[in-house]
Amino acid sequence: MPDCLPPLSDPSAPRHALPAGACDTHCHVFGPAQRFPYAEGRSYTPPDASREALAALHRHLGISRAVVVQAACHGADHSALLDALAHAGGRYRGVAVLRPDVSDDTLQRLHAGGVRGARFNYVPHLGAPPAEADVLRLADRLAPLGWHLCLHVDGAALPGLLPLLRRLPVPFVVDHMGRISAARGLDDPAFVALLGLAAQPNAWVKISGIDRIGSGTRPFHEGLPFMRAIAQAMPGRTLWGTDWPHPNVRGDMPDDGEVADALFLAVPDAGLRHRILVDNPARLYGFDDAPG
């Protein structure tokens, strides 16, 4: 039985139109379990969230591109992810979760299917963090493919990871604003460390998961100053995503129309929003130049 809440069935429409080619760089597909079973030993069991439901949400929000991030509940079985990419007509890319001993054949198969990155989890509820040596070895293997690393980091852990991040030979993306705590303010050492990544040319940050850094009460506007600060510090390396279907939410379930509108509040400059929504993801994930 699922132990996570489902996303809202009727999210509001955004108050503002997203530009052509807008990309949701952080979303998931779950199951359907009858076709794509969840992994044994998983830390959570979500309700199904199909590729059809994800595509419907993107049509509703006016999003034409997306990056589907492998869900921890599916482990290293990427069948659901690859199925979603295969049905997206080139408009979706993927981020995988890999074992340290992943074969070259598997990497090539994932690349051909549209995967362009690998994710590592450093949050306690998803299990033990990866060994530093494994991360560096895999990064070296991914570099020839043009992939990046996607790091799901608990804010408290970020300062301790900085020595590893400085050694990475590939671009890396910090998910969900590093899951810092908005209650600790903009001067919190974890957030200062996150902003410090602006000086590292291969560092990117997703201003996603606004609900995960605050009090858990919609519309999560205590996260807006943090989104704004990241976008201003790293205008060419900031990404945005919905985090649909919002697994393991502990407070209010986000309304994805409000999630989209939050970007307009945090980043009122249309040119900077276009970079975040269109130009930056097109460059990192290798989308075609023409919006679509």
Side-chain angles (χ1 to χ4, degrees):
M1 292 292 293
D3 53 24
C4 299
L5 294 174
L8 296 183
S9 59
D10 56 347
S12 63
R15 297 172 58 191
H16 308 279
L18 276 64
C23 184
D24 174 0
T25 67
H26 199 102
C27 52
H28 308 281
V29 289
F30 297 149
Q34 287 189 333
R35 184 178 178 197
F36 303 113
Y38 299 120
E40 295 292 332
R42 60 191 176 275
S43 59
Y44 67 94
T45 302
D48 290 343
S50 68
R51 60 172 169 81
E52 293 89 353
L54 177 61
L57 175 77
H58 286 156
R59 288 193 297 271
H60 176 72
L61 297 179
I63 290 169
S64 53
R65 294 171 171 168
V67 180
V68 183
V69 177
Q70 173 75 352
C73 60
H74 278 295
D77 181 350
H78 295 88
S79 301
L81 170 66
L82 291 173
D83 178 69
L85 303 187
H87 285 84
R91 296 180 298 105
Y92 287 7
R93 297 288 185 266
V95 171
V97 172
L98 303 175
R99 296 190 177 98
D101 60 352
V102 61
S103 70
D104 290 339
D105 286 346
T106 296
L107 290 178
Q108 291 295 335
R109 178 173 61 86
L110 292 170
H111 187 82
V115 173
R116 294 296 181 267
R119 193 186 203 203
F120 291 99
N121 286 303
Y122 291 88
V123 291
H125 70 272
L126 294 177
E132 180 176 302
D134 288 340
V135 175
L136 291 171
R137 276 195 295 268
L138 190 56
D140 284 337
R141 295 178 63 197
L142 299 182
L145 293 171
W147 286 24
H148 66 279
L149 300 187
C150 189
L151 306 177
H152 189 195
V153 180
D154 185 304
L158 182 61
L161 284 173
L162 292 179
L164 170 63
L165 301 183
R166 295 188 185 104
R167 297 175 62 190
L168 291 176
V170 295
F172 64 90
V173 182
V174 177
D175 287 345
H176 304 330
M177 296 180 275
R179 295 187 67 136
I180 52 87
S181 171
R184 295 176 181 167
L186 294 170
D187 294 328
D188 174 45
F191 189 65
V192 172
L194 184 68
L195 287 185
L197 294 176
Q200 188 161 339
N202 61 333
W204 299 63
V205 176
K206 289 180 190 171
I207 50 175
S208 55
I210 187 174
D211 60 296
R212 299 187 184 277
I213 72 169
S215 64
T217 303
R218 286 174 52 196
F220 318 112
H221 282 178
E222 65 268 36
L224 295 177
F226 299 86
M227 297 174 67
R228 184 175 302 116
I230 293 166
Q232 291 173 349
M234 307 173 69
R237 290 176 282 130
T238 296
L239 304 164
W240 173 87
T242 62
D243 195 28
W244 187 92
H246 312 287
N248 295 304
V249 163
R250 293 293 179 257
D252 292 346
M253 180 58 62
D255 178 318
D256 289 291
E258 293 176 353
V259 170
D261 286 334
L263 179 62
F264 285 77
L265 294 173
V267 185
D269 180 80
L272 180 52
R273 281 199 313 274
H274 194 278
R275 293 182 75 177
I276 293 168
L277 288 168
V278 183
D279 302 333
N280 294 348
R283 189 168 83 254
L284 182 63
Y285 296 103
F287 289 106
D288 294 337
D289 291 337

